Amino acid sequence: MKKIIMAVFTLCLISSVHATEVAVIDFRAALLQSNIGQEAAKEPKQKVAEMDARLKQEQEELEASAEKLKREELTLSEGEFNARRKVLAEQQNKVRSMGAAMQRQAKELEQQLIQSLTPQGEAALKALIEERKLDLVLNRQVSLYANADADITNELVARINKDN
């Protein structure tokens, strides 16, 4: 981590000596905030919402089963109680696995979306760099500090919207 910070600091120091125009950008956010990003995200958002609803339904069913088992605990034989508890534990594992799989799938959908929008974003960024005569553009997440005037994310969103 120290090496990364030192590399960024050194890059900034060298760039400040040679560069006249430096900017920071959140490329991912610009893509997702643009009109084409908003339009392209509708279907993945719908899929994620459907997955979330299904997961919530499974969780509610699991909670209902747990409550039922708790109510019937005293009336069940020890063997029957243990068998039901085992089934309940298996259902809990199934719901956890389902949640993890849905998170992975949602992340993959977002990555596919970003990947499909990247060419338009790169073209708009290149035009913006040439227009503003920028010498250095850094990812906003990598920079330690950037003046608000140095952040061109909103300009990139506007440029993507204009070009597409």
Side-chain angles (χ1 to χ4, degrees), residues 12-91:
C12 289
L13 184 61
I14 291 169
S15 298
S16 66
V17 171
H18 297 320
T20 56
E21 279 294 319
V22 178
V24 294
I25 191 164
D26 187 341
F27 190 72
R28 180 188 161 278
L31 290 176
L32 295 175
Q33 291 172 10
S34 69
N35 292 339
I36 59 171
Q38 293 291 314
E39 187 62 34
K42 285 181 181 178
E43 185 180 336
K45 282 182 182 179
Q46 182 181 359
K47 286 181 182 179
V48 169
E50 289 169 2
M51 290 187 298
D52 191 44
R54 188 169 149 227
L55 181 62
K56 284 182 182 180
Q57 180 183 4
E58 291 286 335
Q59 288 172 333
E60 288 171 2
E61 289 173 8
L62 181 64
E63 289 173 14
S65 295
E67 284 296 318
K68 183 178 179 184
L69 180 61
K70 188 175 183 179
R71 282 192 310 270
E72 297 175 350
E73 179 178 5
L74 297 176
T75 60
L76 297 173
S77 68
E78 185 178 340
E80 178 67 22
F81 176 75
N82 288 336
R84 285 192 182 179
R85 192 168 66 181
K86 182 179 177 183
V87 169
L88 187 63
E90 289 171 357
Q91 289 175 331

